[in-house]
Amino acid sequence: MNNICLETSASGKGDFRACAVRTSLGTLDFVYQSHTISEGIVDPGSHTPIPEGDKNDASTLKIVLADKVLPIVLELYYIAFTEVDVIARASRIVNNTGSSITLKGLASLQLDLFDSSWQVISLDGAWAREREVHVQDIKAATLSWNVRCGTSSAFHNPCIFLKRPDCSQSHGEAIGINLVYSGNHQQIIEPNEFGKVRLLTALGNDSFTWPLGPGQSFATPMAVMTYSDKGLNQASDNFARFTNRHIIRGYWRYRQRPVLLNNWEATYFDFSQDKLIKLANQAKSLGIELFVLDDGWFGRRTDDTKGLGDWTANPRKLPKGIEGLAQQIHQIGMMFGIWVEPEMVSQNSELYEKHPDWAVQLEGRDPSFGRSQLLLDLRRDEVQAYIIDSISKVLENVDYMKWDMNRLFSDYPDEGFFHSWMIGLYKVLGALRPRFPKVLMEACSSGGNRFDLGMLCFFDQVWTSDDTDALQRTRIQEGTSYGYSQVCMGSHVSACPNHQSLRSTDIETRFNVAAFGNLGYELDLGLLTPLQRSQVKAQIAYYKEHRPALQYGKLYRMDTEENRRMWVVEDPASGDLLVLDFQVHVRPNSTGDMLRLYMADENASYQLSSRPQKLDIRLFGSLINRVSPIKIEDGKALQRNIAENWGMDTETTTAIIGGDVLKHAGVKLDPQFTGTGYDSRTRVLGDCGSRLYWFRKL
Ligand code: DGJ
């Protein structure tokens, strides 16, 4: 048994690898009984969200197995999503023994591969550096990713890939795996003595036991997998199309997302109605479409130690309530959105004073706090009802909601807690979503601590990370793009020095990176200089012009040297290509850069144009005096005055290029600044400098 590739496995009959089915019974031996093939999706009944699909784009194979001796049934589900090259898998176990057993683990998916010449790509990190890409070899021992904190987490995303060692972004074999689930999870990759590899993906077996009484069953969340023989980009594109077609649902499926302004990093908790209206007016004048009021508008919430749970407006901050503010924002001509964190309660809140028992804590133990708050017990009907009711009242007045979740789990009573809590959350979301079909909903969890397909079944987008530093964002967004589409990645332009890294990057670069997602701004627009205001206005106009490609285009991560990041999106309708060229550090006197785009259509021609950007003259410091007719002292008022009002134009790159040249040879870009010979065709990039290039297909 240890040398056979199996579709599922249980212990006790000679398969010594990690097994898909683990129960208190020890030995189980499942054999085939029957199978059925049905049109559309057959729901295994897990009470966790499942993808959408119908007879036109999905069909289900259900295989029924039974133990050779005991009346225990195991069902394996395979749902083929034919349009997007994705197969979903789930398992269900039924205990017909007449006595109680304990389920210790049930994998959603098992994939046994014949050889182990694969590498693993995992997306791991922490707050502010979510989903960084790690590549590891499979050698002699098991690799496993175990998440035990209650959310799918920034530690390890449930999306992982296997790839052949020679597989690149554009060539070679890759297999992608993900889980439609938002809580604890486990991925195991185990090579055996014969060089075979077993992959298991499951809800978190490390922190899971489930009683199965007589006649009871348990179904797993769905896992999904895809295969590409055209490199990692194709596998990611399959997942992106799957997310857009089968996971995101309802009104916002395939709809373009509005450009938003979020007040969080502009004001934090320090705002008044007047301040918000001023911000909204400024936003409107720049072309922003949605105004989002973040944390701090409700109950006693003047800082993050209080108020969670009391979802009514604080009259000192919002004298006319949410309704009044929403009306004013609508009058300005913008959509209005609001922040909530419904899964939580502050001890200092009316809700806690009334219902201390609703918080997750254990008698006799001091609870552990995260951000001074406690988790509500979402397993309880009355807690679910309270959230549904109080949040419904908030949602009546808004066009958008950001649903945050800012702590991890502690003080749970048993190992079944995590999953039953998650089922409670899904019940709440399942009740709220259809009541407000047109409200644009964004999930958030201290940034991207719960970026997963489970949340995306209810939310139209996810806040990718609290970290908006442009360089760090190239890593985070690139990692996220392995498993998820651009339209669901919230990406904002924020102030510099950046509030997470204290790094300063050019506002054009901040936009160029954020543009490869769902664009927003999160800074005090009143502090922008006149030049920056005109830059932001131009950025938003550019984004709107290219929004279908930037939100829904096919994304290509280019294989580049470490110092460079290059992303391309292909407009689904026109075939136009939009390219981000990002340089991490400037390397003086380096060779010219090439743009070679393997996805270019050999039979077409392209009109190339670079996005016009502005350069801050402070970049040149005292060197500017080599050309300036008047002396501009570095760091002095005159320099600041000029810089705040006027920027130098970046080089203009235009050309008409044959697709064959673009694909096989590439376009040579103008040389970068090297200290001498500066002219209007010199590219001044510097550290974290970037450009956007548009190749319009002729
Ligand atoms: C964490 C989120 O990620 C931020 O965007 C912001 O909404 C804060 N919470 C507010 O408390």
Side-chain angles (χ1 to χ4, degrees):
M1 287 290 269
N2 219 40
N3 191 19
I4 301 176
C5 289
L6 297 164
E7 285 300 301
T8 188
S9 55
S11 53
K13 297 302 288 177
D15 182 352
F16 304 111
R17 295 165 282 186
C19 283
V21 187
R22 289 173 51 227
T23 71
S24 50
L25 291 169
T27 299
L28 282 170
D29 190 9
F30 289 108
V31 288
Y32 172 88
Q33 297 288 298
S34 64
H35 76 272
T36 45
I37 296 177
S38 332
E39 289 182 332
I41 298 174
V42 177
D43 184 354
S46 65
H47 307 292
T48 61
I50 60 168
E52 279 196 341
D54 58 28
K55 63 178 172 36
N56 298 313
D57 54 14
S59 57
T60 305
L61 163 67
K62 176 175 155 188
I63 302 176
V64 181
L65 308 153
D67 181 66
K68 272 188 180 163
V69 174
L70 296 169
I72 295 198
V73 174
L74 180 67
E75 296 164 356
L76 304 181
Y77 292 78
Y78 298 73
I79 297 143
F81 294 96
T82 45
E83 296 298 310
V84 293
D85 252 341
V86 165
I87 297 176
R89 303 261 313 255
S91 317
R92 177 170 175 263
I93 190 164
V94 190
N95 172 20
N96 289 327
T97 60
S99 19
S100 292
I101 63 169
T102 304
L103 187 62
K104 294 182 182 171
L106 183 61
S108 301
L109 173 155
Q110 170 170 331
L111 187 66
D112 281 5
L113 297 166
F114 199 78
D115 70 278
S116 50
S117 59
W118 296 92
Q119 291 176 319
V120 189
I121 299 180
S122 58
L123 309 171
D124 320 279
W127 175 78
R129 49 184 166 81
E130 297 92 337
R131 292 172 296 286
E132 290 188 337
V133 176
H134 296 98
V135 184
Q136 297 180 60
D137 291 332
I138 299 174
K139 290 192 171 156
T142 301
L143 296 168
S144 75
W145 290 259
N146 291 291
V147 169
R148 310 178 185 94
C149 62
T151 66
S152 55
S153 92
F155 306 141
H156 307 293
N157 195 267
C159 180
I160 58 171
F161 279 74
L162 291 172
K163 74 171 194 71
R164 294 294 189 189
D166 64 352
C167 170
S168 65
Q169 298 294 353
S170 55
H171 293 93
E173 276 190 303
I175 298 171
I177 309 281
N178 205 344
L179 194 63
V180 189
Y181 193 59
S182 314
N184 290 348
H185 56 92
Q186 180 179 51
Q187 283 68 33
I188 294 181
I189 294 183
E190 181 174 344
N192 76 351
E193 70 277 27
F194 302 109
K196 295 199 166 54
V197 166
R198 169 163 298 169
L199 184 150
L200 293 171
T201 190
L203 48 71
N205 283 346
D206 251 23
S207 45
F208 171 82
T209 52
W210 201 262
L212 269 192
Q216 287 184 340
S217 66
F218 180 88
T220 65
M222 278 193 190
V224 293
M225 58 183 189
T226 191
Y227 167 81
S228 156
D229 60 1
K230 296 185 184 63
L232 290 158
N233 281 334
Q234 186 57 54
S236 292
D237 184 57
N238 295 347
F239 273 163
R241 287 181 300 123
F242 171 73
T243 305
N244 291 345
R245 183 177 177 131
H246 297 285
I247 294 288
I248 297 175
R249 56 202 66 191
Y251 181 80
W252 286 98
R253 174 186 286 161
Y254 292 129
R255 257 176 223 269
Q256 291 179 33
R257 307 294 193 260
V259 178
L260 67 80
L261 176 84
N262 180 305
N263 77 310
W264 179 240
E265 289 198 3
T267 65
Y268 292 102
F269 289 105
D270 179 22
F271 59 83
S272 62
Q273 171 122 348
D274 287 351
K275 210 167 176 177
L276 297 176
I277 295 299
K278 205 167 150 199
L279 260 178
N281 275 312
Q282 288 160 343
K284 172 73 183 168
S285 72
L286 298 177
I288 294 176
E289 297 154 311
L290 161 65
F291 179 83
V292 179
L293 171 56
D294 209 279
D295 195 355
W297 58 269
F298 51 90
R300 307 170 186 169
R301 189 79 165 170
T302 44
D303 60 44
D304 65 7
T305 62
K306 41 179 119 54
L308 291 175
D310 303 338
W311 300 112
T312 47
N314 177 319
R316 255 174 298 134
K317 289 195 182 178
L318 303 182
K320 295 179 195 150
I322 309 173
E323 203 179 341
L325 178 61
Q327 252 173 26
Q328 275 183 281
I329 302 287
H330 288 151
Q331 271 160 17
I332 293 171
M334 299 178 83
M335 295 164 73
F336 173 66
I338 204 149
W339 178 99
V340 288
E341 191 176 355
E343 298 155 72
M344 299 292 160
V345 63
S346 308
Q347 270 192 330
N348 185 348
S349 68
E350 276 180 32
L351 182 68
Y352 189 83
E353 281 154 17
K354 268 196 226 144
H355 300 288
D357 58 313
W358 285 9
V360 175
Q361 47 189 330
L362 297 168
E363 229 183 292
R365 281 185 198 276
D366 289 337
S368 296
F369 288 88
R371 209 191 189 200
S372 312
Q373 63 201 48
L374 295 170
L375 198 65
L376 283 171
D377 191 347
L378 266 71
R379 299 173 307 170
R380 294 173 64 162
D381 292 344
E382 59 276 34
V383 176
Q384 293 170 9
Y386 172 75
I387 297 178
I388 295 167
D389 184 56
S390 55
I391 299 302
S392 290
K393 288 188 183 121
V394 175
L395 294 186
E396 267 154 27
N397 296 300
V398 306
D399 310 294
Y400 160 105
M401 168 187 70
K402 175 176 172 189
W403 176 296
D404 205 347
M405 196 283 192
N406 284 305
R407 65 154 292 172
L408 304 173
F409 290 33
S410 67
D411 300 286
Y412 34 88
D414 54 62
E415 293 199 311
F417 175 84
F418 292 97
H419 187 55
S420 15
W421 188 95
M422 198 49 69
I423 289 175
L425 171 63
Y426 287 142
K427 216 164 138 193
V428 169
L429 297 174
L432 278 170
R433 179 74 259 197
R435 278 195 199 178
F436 302 94
K438 289 195 178 170
V439 172
L440 177 62
M441 295 193 182
E442 176 156 351
C444 170
S445 178
S446 308
N449 195 46
R450 204 164 54 179
F451 201 126
D452 59 67
L453 295 175
M455 293 314 274
L456 280 163
C457 288
F458 303 98
F459 293 88
D460 311 297
Q461 54 197 58
V462 186
W463 179 221
T464 311
S465 172
D466 277 347
D467 194 335
T468 42
D469 169 75
L471 173 60
Q472 183 55 26
R473 270 296 179 130
T474 60
R475 300 184 187 123
I476 297 171
Q477 288 174 214
E478 179 148 327
T480 308
S481 77
Y482 274 74
Y484 308 90
S485 57
Q486 303 92 274
V487 75
C488 58
M489 273 190 240
S491 26
H492 298 178
V493 174
S494 62
C496 272
N498 176 270
H499 291 197
Q500 292 74 42
S501 66
L502 298 183
R503 193 185 345 253
S504 285
T505 53
D506 180 36
I507 197 162
E508 302 287 23
T509 278
R510 281 175 262 160
F511 165 75
N512 290 346
V513 174
F516 277 69
N518 192 335
L519 180 68
Y521 287 77
E522 188 167 336
L523 73 177
D524 187 346
L525 298 172
L527 298 179
L528 292 178
T529 65
L531 171 65
Q532 288 174 329
R533 263 201 297 280
S534 68
Q535 287 173 292
V536 168
K537 202 169 177 175
Q539 292 169 356
I540 293 169
Y542 193 87
Y543 185 80
K544 287 179 180 169
E545 192 186 342
H546 297 282
R547 183 156 38 188
L550 290 165
Q551 294 189 350
Y552 286 103
K554 179 169 179 173
L555 178 79
Y556 300 85
R557 298 171 297 258
M558 301 299 282
D559 291 302
T560 51
E561 45 151 341
E562 265 300 292
N563 198 35
R564 214 166 170 208
R565 282 264 185 283
M566 201 189 284
W567 300 334
V568 181
V569 285
E570 186 175 7
D571 188 297
S574 62
D576 292 359
L577 302 170
L578 203 63
V579 181
L580 167 74
D581 186 15
F582 179 99
Q583 167 171 282
V584 180
H585 289 123
V586 69
R587 197 166 154 257
N589 196 17
S590 52
T591 180
D593 297 319
M594 294 289 286
L595 278 183
R596 183 177 165 196
L597 305 181
Y598 77 90
M599 73 298 299
D601 178 354
E602 286 175 298
N603 301 314
S605 293
Y606 294 86
Q607 162 92 58
L608 162 64
S609 51
S610 51
R611 184 177 84 81
Q613 297 179 190
K614 294 287 183 189
L615 289 173
D616 189 319
I617 59 149
R618 284 172 287 200
L619 205 65
F620 295 90
S622 58
L623 196 57
I624 200 108
N625 293 311
R626 298 292 303 273
V627 291
S628 171
I630 49 163
K631 186 153 177 71
I632 304 173
E633 280 185 74
D634 195 18
K636 295 287 164 59
L638 176 63
Q639 187 200 43
R640 197 173 58 245
N641 213 306
I642 299 173
E644 289 182 354
N645 291 286
W646 180 82
M648 283 165 59
D649 290 323
T650 47
E651 78 290 347
T652 309
T653 309
T654 53
I656 292 192
I657 304 144
D660 47 357
V661 174
L662 193 54
K663 187 182 178 103
H664 299 293
V667 189
K668 189 164 188 310
L669 297 171
D670 288 329
Q672 287 196 38
F673 179 80
T674 54
T676 64
Y678 177 81
D679 64 20
S680 63
R681 292 193 55 190
T682 306
R683 284 187 312 136
V684 179
L685 281 179
D687 290 346
C688 296
S690 67
R691 294 287 184 272
L692 290 188
Y693 296 104
W694 178 29
F695 291 84
R696 190 164 65 84
K697 198 169 175 183
L698 300 172

